[in-house]
Amino acid sequence: MTPSGASPSVPRVTIVIATYNWSAVLPYSIGSVLRQTFTSFELLVIGDGCSDDSADVVRRFDDPRVRWINLATNTGHQSGPNNEGLRVGRGEIVAYLGHDDLWLPHHLELLVGAVDRGADVAHAITELVNPDGRPPEPIPAHAGSLRPNQWIPPTGLVHRRRLALDVGAWRHPLDLLVDPEVALVHGMVAAGARVVFVPRLTAVKLPAGRRKEAYRFRRSDEQAHWFDRIGREPDFEQRELAALLFGVERRVSVLLPLRIRRRVRDFRERLLLRTLSAAMLRRRVRARVDRRRRVRGLSSLGG
């Protein structure tokens, strides 16, 4: 029996994980792909000239949809592996996942659904996790149409494969004045692509660039922590959106079902209608919650 959304021969989505000598994180990124509710995909884990045990780690996954490819030479950027994925991929839609990032199980289902409704590029909310206890950030921090030079994390988007090839695919950062993902998305927009924002949290990004000597120590404890939480907490998305958008601490879980869940739902609906900054939303909702809590003699949710 063919899984829901799947083709018996050709996958609808090609997923590309570009990687370089950090095998410890691959079980978690690959694991988050295999948790997807949308199953018609091929996963290409593409090494940028890897010389560690990444190939062995990938091959331990007993799933015919998972394939290891290693470039002969190192290009020094995900643009090389991503372009190889565009070249050999069979899916009409392409999705990217950072090797140290994670998806929520509904990521592909929601974004492929947007493509099915007419989008050429679809993206959702990505939670950018900062190190050292600094608050996480929602990307994008606003709703509405795509802004000039707006950055969308590749982990948080999908696009039609043919369109990317038509605009020249990924370019190396040394050839650009902006990030390659910015150049790609805005190049597709200039070619007439329709971009759709899905107001749901679908990805967690743990940027190596913000973690001191990440490629020296190559740890995976953060990925293990978030992977476990995503799989274990049925209200993970609601908790994280409450924390990201309204400053509600995750430990106050007893309040989420009664008070915050409705605000998260209302926020997602408003995102489709108008542009508001995350800071403005946080101030408005937090003030409203604080007023109600003062009536009950409770302290601020934010502590």
Side-chain angles (χ1 to χ4, degrees):
M1 180 176 179
T2 302
S4 176
S7 163
S9 56
V10 180
R12 288 206 62 204
V13 178
T14 293
I15 303 164
V16 179
I17 295 181
T19 189
Y20 179 69
N21 285 0
W22 195 351
S23 64
V25 294
L26 293 177
Y28 304 106
S29 53
I30 295 173
S32 76
V33 170
L34 298 182
R35 281 177 173 173
Q36 292 299 297
T37 55
F38 182 92
T39 58
S40 178
F41 63 77
E42 62 177 348
L43 171 56
L44 308 180
V45 185
I46 304 181
D48 191 19
C50 288
S51 56
D52 67 350
D53 63 339
S54 292
D56 294 333
V57 170
V58 174
R59 288 170 182 148
R60 290 191 195 115
F61 285 90
D62 186 19
D63 193 308
R65 297 170 298 178
V66 180
R67 178 181 171 195
W68 166 255
I69 300 171
N70 196 23
L71 300 184
T73 57
N74 175 260
T75 61
H77 187 262
Q78 66 173 318
S79 57
N82 287 351
N83 281 335
E84 179 67 8
L86 287 173
R87 186 183 72 83
V88 303
R90 297 177 294 153
E92 61 173 307
I93 300 168
V94 176
Y96 306 96
L97 177 59
H99 64 174
D100 50 347
D101 298 338
L102 303 166
W103 283 341
L104 278 64
H106 53 240
H107 176 80
L108 286 181
E109 180 182 351
L110 293 176
L111 295 188
V112 172
V115 173
D116 288 341
R117 292 188 295 274
D120 299 301
V121 179
H123 67 110
I125 300 172
T126 296
E127 178 171 6
L128 193 154
V129 179
N130 286 308
D132 306 322
R134 285 178 283 160
E137 304 168 33
I139 307 293
H142 62 83
S145 58
L146 196 69
R147 298 181 178 185
N149 291 330
Q150 178 181 333
W151 177 67
I152 300 174
T155 284
L157 67 83
V158 306
H159 63 74
R160 297 185 188 273
R161 175 172 169 267
R162 184 70 258 166
L163 184 59
L165 293 172
D166 288 345
V167 301
W170 286 75
R171 297 169 62 190
H172 197 279
L174 295 179
D175 300 327
L176 296 165
L177 298 177
V178 296
D179 290 332
E181 52 265 42
V182 173
L184 176 67
V185 171
H186 288 268
M188 291 190 288
V189 171
R194 180 185 177 219
V195 179
V196 170
F197 171 56
V198 177
R200 294 283 301 274
L201 176 65
T202 70
V204 173
K205 182 170 183 61
L206 300 108
R210 299 191 182 189
R211 285 157 170 79
K212 187 176 181 180
E213 298 184 309
Y215 277 92
R216 176 184 175 188
F217 297 107
R218 293 177 167 84
R219 298 175 59 180
S220 60
D221 51 316
E222 284 188 279
Q223 284 76 17
H225 167 76
W226 286 91
F227 183 81
D228 175 68
R229 282 197 58 208
I230 292 169
R232 177 170 41 85
E233 298 176 11
D235 58 351
F236 176 86
E237 182 188 8
Q238 300 290 344
R239 286 173 181 259
E240 294 308 304
L241 281 175
L244 285 167
L245 303 169
F246 307 130
V248 177
E249 296 183 22
R250 296 178 183 88
R251 67 173 181 269
V252 195
S253 59
V254 69
L255 296 175
L256 286 175
L258 297 176
R259 300 180 183 181
I260 303 304
R261 196 177 297 272
R262 294 192 186 95
R263 287 169 174 76
V264 172
R265 180 199 62 203
D266 293 344
F267 168 76
R268 292 202 306 237
E269 293 174 354
R270 287 200 302 274
L271 280 176
L272 297 175
L273 301 176
R274 58 182 177 171
T275 299
L276 289 175
S277 70
M280 184 184 301
L281 279 171
R282 189 178 300 114
R283 287 195 300 270
R284 289 183 180 183
V285 176
R286 186 166 180 173
R288 192 179 310 128
V289 172
D290 282 348
R291 284 196 299 272
R292 293 181 180 180
R293 291 178 63 81
R294 281 197 296 273
V295 170
R296 295 169 172 81
L298 301 173
S299 61
S300 170
L301 285 173

